[in-house]
């Protein structure tokens, strides 16, 4: 126990030292006065974050033995409690078909050869049974690829068969070609809101959105597009681990906070957005729809962002759209600013595939990063020429996204880079479940209805207004606990509660007394007094129950408040 604490102290100390060094470029930014200094906030933030993880782990322990003896309700996690079955059945079925294809080449004991392209389309048709649901889906998926996407049937099936078997290194390492076409069609259908960008977008599948972010920051920094002391703007509140990439990961960058608030319906106000016009802000990093607030940027904000980029044309925008499909008619920043934006998407949440580690990076062929590379000072160009010369004869022509791929394996192991090919096939299968019914995808509709029902149950039970605005993804919600207390017992009680219990006390009591685990809002740089409730991992009636237990705890507090007030009144 003591040892653990020491370790934690050391981690905190080391992290704070890091931050102090990293933020030494802050003074200049402050002098300019155009951006908000975040140094102290970042330090406090870091303490809060270390705290947030510790608190949640602690609460899970407390909840197990809660005083009321209730079953534990843990709405802390974003991991969904649903999965997609269609893509999984299709993947297994296609894998089976492909193994048999290999046996046609050569078969002895458990040893087989490689799949052959010649005639594979005909053999596929013969093997699939249209009466079988999974086979029928595979037939329509292949039809879609051939008739709508214009792919050659035999080439497609050979690529998918090799990939699902996994008997070759990924080649090209960035993305297999037919799979790239499919992924582009998926992104266009789900995220671009009518903009036709599939044909001009390059995709790099990665081990989830997390790896995508790490790879991008690594490559931006290595290629000197982001340099120590550069300012990068972060849309807050934001997914906690992401706060740590630019600062703690040693890139020596200075953060600028571009915040949204409940008053703005979690959209970014014009004044906040204006911070991005400053050319010393090199990059803007956002999660859209956001986590924890779970709201998408409005159309108006996207238009304003376009104008901001006209004033700061070198701005690199990095957007994480993992929750995009939870907003109807969602429109990604990439579709509004394809030149400036690097898009990250992950299949993790919608399809219940967090353990698969599947996400991607998408970038336009015509993009700001490649232009900035061409405009680097000669000495930087010479450095990079040297760096990439071990993997290409023309390093100066190597695209930024291909550098991201190379850097993901420290350049030297570029020839074995790229996402595992079976994972690429699985991504294609998920995409195709959507594409074959793109107009009205029943699975996406169901996922949206599922979180909406939970969100509505929670808000109704908490006696809070339901926010049904188009931008609300309803995957998480931030609840202002003091606001709930004030609604129920008045402002005086809420004031007393604020003085007599910290947020951590409240969360600990909720876990230890009532068996409910929620997350600490300020850990995401959300306002004080808020908790994040995930709508992804429990059933609708559980959210009603959570509200009931939260009220029970408030009732306990209220009894305490009244008995504390009593003697004073009597005297
Ligand atoms: C859950 C989540 C992801 C998914 O990350 P993976 O590494 O793909 O599992 C990405 N971004 C945000 C903001 C998330 O909350």
């Amino acid at each position: 126990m003591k040892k653990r604490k020491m370790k934690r102290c050391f981690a905190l100390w080391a992290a704070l030292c890091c931050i102090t060094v990293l933020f030494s470029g802050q003074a200049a930014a402050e002098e300019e006065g155009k951006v908000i200094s975040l140094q102290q906030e970042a330090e406090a933030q870091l303490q809060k974050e270390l705290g947030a993880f510790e608190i949640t782990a602690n609460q899970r322990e407390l909840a197990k033995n809660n005083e009321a003896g209730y079953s534990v309700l843990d709405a802390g996690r974003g991991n969904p409690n649903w999965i997609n079955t269609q893509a999984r059945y299709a993947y297994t079925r296609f894998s089976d078909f492909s193994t048999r294809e290999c046996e046609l080449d050569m078969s002895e004991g458990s040893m087989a050869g490689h799949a052959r392209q010649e005639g594979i389309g005909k053999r596929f048709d013969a093997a699939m049974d249209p009466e079988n649901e999974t086979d029928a889906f595979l037939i329509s998926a292949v039809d879609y690829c051939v008739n709508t996407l214009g792919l050659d049937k035999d080439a497609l099936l050979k690529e998918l068969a090799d990939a699902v078997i996994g008997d070759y290194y990924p080649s090209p390492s960035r993305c297999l070609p037919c799979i790239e076409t499919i992924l582009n069609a998926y992104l266009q259908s789900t995220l671009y809101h009518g903009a036709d960008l599939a044909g001009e977008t390059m995709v790099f599948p990665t081990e989830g959105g997390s790896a995508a972010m790490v790879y991008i920051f690594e490559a931006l920094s290595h290629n000197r597009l982001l340099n120590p002391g550069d300012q990068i703007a972060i849309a807050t509140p934001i997914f906690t681990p992401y706060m740590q990439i630019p600062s703690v990961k040693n890139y020596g960058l200075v953060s600028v906070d571009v915040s949204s608030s409940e008053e703005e319906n979690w959209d970014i106000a014009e004044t906040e957005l204006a911070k991005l016009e400053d050319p010393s802000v090199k990059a803007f990093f956002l999660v859209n729809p956001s986590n924890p607030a779970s709201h998408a940027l409005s159309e108006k904000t996207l238009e304003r962002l376009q104008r901001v980029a006209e004033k700061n044309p070198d701005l690199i925008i990095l957007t994480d759209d993992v929750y995009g499909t939870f907003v109807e008619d969602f429109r990604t920043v990439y579709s509004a600013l394809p030149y400036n934006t690097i898009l990250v998407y992950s299949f993790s949440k919608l399809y219940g595939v967090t353990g698969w580690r599947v996400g991607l990076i998408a970038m336009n062929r015509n993009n700001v990063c490649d232009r900035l590379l061409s405009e680097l000072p000669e000495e930087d160009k010479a450095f990079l020429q040297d760096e990439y010369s071990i993997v290409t004869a023309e390093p100066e022509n190597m695209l930024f996204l291909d550098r991201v791929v190379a850097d993901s394996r420290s350049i030297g192991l570029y020839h074995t880079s790229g996402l595992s090919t079976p994972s690429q096939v699985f991504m294609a299968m998920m995409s195709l479940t959507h594409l074959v019914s793109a107009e009205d995808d029943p699975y996406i509709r169901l996922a949206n209805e599922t979180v909406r029902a939970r969100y509505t149950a929670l808000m109704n039970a908490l006696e809070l207004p339901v926010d049904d605005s188009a931008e609300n993804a309803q995957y998480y919600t931030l609840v202002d606990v003091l606001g709930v207390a004030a609604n129920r017992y008045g402002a005086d009680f809420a004031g007393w509660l604020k003085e007599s219990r910290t947020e951590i006390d409240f969360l600990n009591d909720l876990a230890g007394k009532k068996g409910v685990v929620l997350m600490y809002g300020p850990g995401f740089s959300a306002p004080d007094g808020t908790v994040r409730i995930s709508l992804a991992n429990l059933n609708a009636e559980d959210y009603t129950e959570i509200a009931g237990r939260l009220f029970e705890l408030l009732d306990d507090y209220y009894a305490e408040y009244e008995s504390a007030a009593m003697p004073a009144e009597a005297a």
Side-chain angles (χ1 to χ4, degrees):
M1 186 67 204
K2 208 167 177 187
K3 221 170 166 185
R4 257 188 71 206
K5 203 156 194 171
M6 290 257 302
K7 241 178 163 171
R8 223 179 283 135
C9 283
F10 176 74
L12 178 65
W13 170 81
L16 284 177
C17 286
C18 256
I19 272 235
T20 312
V21 173
L22 297 183
F23 279 76
S24 50
Q26 186 74 22
E30 275 169 12
E31 272 166 29
E32 290 218 356
K34 287 182 186 161
V35 293
I36 288 177
S37 156
L38 272 192
Q39 179 167 3
Q40 285 97 349
E41 272 176 53
E43 285 175 19
Q45 183 62 39
L46 193 61
Q47 289 191 49
K48 280 179 187 168
E49 279 166 22
L50 289 179
F53 286 114
E54 190 176 310
I55 298 155
T56 311
N58 192 15
Q59 283 165 5
R60 291 202 169 98
E61 278 311 304
L62 288 172
K64 273 187 208 158
N65 302 308
N66 69 82
E67 284 173 20
Y70 289 149
S71 62
V72 175
L73 291 176
D74 183 346
R77 290 269 162 86
N79 202 109
N81 68 346
W82 63 76
I83 65 155
N84 177 284
T85 55
Q86 189 174 35
R88 285 172 168 90
Y89 283 129
Y91 176 86
T92 314
R93 174 71 176 113
F94 191 77
S95 174
D96 210 48
F97 164 77
S98 301
T99 307
R100 290 189 202 291
E101 282 294 301
C102 292
E103 287 175 335
L104 293 179
D105 183 43
M106 184 270 275
S107 178
E108 201 175 330
S110 303
M111 184 182 282
H114 290 307
R116 289 186 194 160
Q117 181 162 332
E118 205 192 330
I120 192 170
K122 290 219 165 65
R123 292 192 295 279
F124 174 83
D125 291 344
M128 294 297 132
D129 170 10
E131 300 299 313
N132 174 291
E133 208 177 310
T134 300
D135 287 15
F137 163 67
L138 282 170
I139 293 167
S140 59
V142 169
D143 278 352
Y144 179 88
C145 291
V146 173
N147 298 326
T148 308
L149 300 180
L151 297 172
D152 177 80
K153 187 168 179 177
D154 286 355
L156 166 74
L157 287 165
K158 162 73 170 155
E159 178 183 305
L160 291 176
D162 284 345
V164 78
I165 293 295
D167 51 353
Y168 295 101
Y169 282 103
S171 176
S173 48
R174 179 169 60 73
C175 188
L176 300 179
C178 294
I179 289 178
E180 184 177 30
T181 304
I182 295 167
L183 294 175
N184 264 320
Y186 174 81
L187 294 174
Q188 169 142 323
S189 173
T190 53
L191 308 179
Y192 300 171
H193 197 228
D196 184 8
L197 297 166
E200 57 196 69
T201 303
M202 305 176 287
V203 178
F204 170 27
T206 58
E207 298 83 353
S210 317
M213 284 302 170
V214 172
Y215 294 164
I216 292 167
F217 273 103
E218 192 65 44
L220 286 172
S221 155
H222 177 229
N223 282 278
R224 303 192 172 172
L225 300 184
L226 289 180
N227 294 299
D230 274 352
Q231 296 180 28
I232 76 154
I234 297 177
T236 57
I238 199 166
F239 182 45
T240 329
Y242 283 177
M243 286 291 288
Q244 300 175 336
I245 300 176
S247 49
V248 181
K249 282 260 331 169
N250 271 336
Y251 294 120
L253 305 168
V254 179
S255 325
V256 179
D257 200 3
V258 175
S259 65
S260 61
S261 64
E262 186 159 20
E263 292 72 49
E264 304 281 338
N265 198 24
W266 301 110
D267 203 1
I268 302 174
E270 196 165 12
T271 47
E272 287 292 302
L273 219 51
K275 291 176 183 171
L276 304 174
E277 290 173 5
D278 180 344
S280 59
V281 174
K282 301 295 180 194
F284 176 45
F285 178 21
L286 77 161
V287 175
N288 183 37
S290 53
N291 173 5
S294 215
H295 275 68
L297 296 185
S298 67
E299 193 65 32
K300 195 171 60 197
T301 298
L302 289 177
E303 281 162 21
R304 284 178 182 155
L305 198 52
Q306 285 172 325
R307 257 166 275 135
V308 164
E310 282 161 19
K311 294 191 179 140
N312 185 6
D314 292 353
L315 186 68
I316 299 166
I317 303 173
L318 181 48
T319 184
D320 172 352
D321 290 3
V322 58
Y323 300 107
T325 55
F326 290 90
V327 165
E328 221 169 301
D329 297 326
F330 175 70
R331 184 173 178 211
T332 173
V333 172
Y334 175 67
S335 73
L337 296 101
Y339 179 77
N340 294 83
T341 306
I342 305 174
L343 167 69
V344 168
Y345 179 72
S346 167
F347 292 87
S348 280
K349 303 289 164 52
L350 176 60
Y351 295 98
V353 293
T354 46
W356 267 87
R357 315 308 304 124
V358 277
L360 57 82
I361 302 170
M363 257 184 111
N364 204 269
R365 287 184 196 286
N366 181 24
N367 67 73
V368 66
C369 295
D370 285 319
R371 174 171 60 78
L372 292 174
L373 280 179
S374 74
E375 293 170 0
L376 282 174
E378 287 310 317
E379 95 188 81
D380 288 344
K381 279 188 182 163
F383 162 77
L384 292 168
Q385 179 93 11
D386 192 45
E387 287 285 282
Y388 292 104
S389 64
I390 54 172
V391 292
T392 168
E394 293 177 29
E396 67 280 9
N397 293 332
M398 192 175 192
L399 297 178
F400 176 72
L401 190 56
D402 289 324
R403 297 179 190 216
V404 176
V405 180
D407 285 6
S408 75
R409 296 295 178 272
S410 303
I411 304 177
L413 299 177
Y414 186 34
H415 62 291
T416 59
S417 64
L419 184 67
S420 92
T421 60
S423 296
Q424 293 191 45
V425 173
F426 190 48
M427 289 167 80
M429 291 297 175
M430 289 185 276
S431 300
L432 285 163
T433 65
H434 168 72
L435 289 168
V436 298
S437 56
E439 293 309 308
D440 185 20
D441 179 342
Y443 180 79
I444 289 185
R445 185 157 30 86
L446 196 56
N448 288 350
E449 282 167 6
T450 300
V451 292
R452 164 164 307 194
R454 295 169 181 185
Y455 168 78
T456 309
L458 176 74
M459 298 310 265
N460 286 341
L462 286 174
E463 296 160 20
L464 289 173
V466 170
D467 168 11
D468 248 334
S469 62
E471 290 85 7
N472 191 358
Q474 302 174 333
Y475 194 94
Y476 303 104
T477 190
L478 282 171
V479 169
D480 170 15
V481 175
L482 292 173
V484 171
N487 276 351
R488 195 165 171 87
Y489 296 109
D492 195 49
F493 167 69
W496 173 87
L497 185 58
K498 189 172 181 204
E499 292 309 310
S500 58
R501 294 290 191 287
T502 65
E503 288 152 324
I504 314 288
D505 291 338
F506 170 79
L507 287 170
N508 283 345
D509 282 349
L510 195 59
K513 296 182 196 290
K514 309 293 176 191
V516 173
V517 180
L518 305 178
M519 279 202 80
Y520 179 50
F524 298 87
S525 70
D528 287 349
T530 56
V531 292
R532 187 192 80 168
I533 303 180
S534 163
L535 299 155
N537 61 352
L538 296 170
N539 298 322
E541 60 273 19
D542 297 325
Y543 291 96
T544 310
E545 173 76 18
I546 285 176
R549 293 191 199 174
L550 198 147
F551 280 150
E552 267 182 35
L553 179 63
L554 290 180
D555 289 348
D556 294 350
Y557 286 154
Y558 189 72
E560 188 187 325
Y561 159 80
E562 281 204 306
S563 64
M566 213 69 92
E569 274 166 26

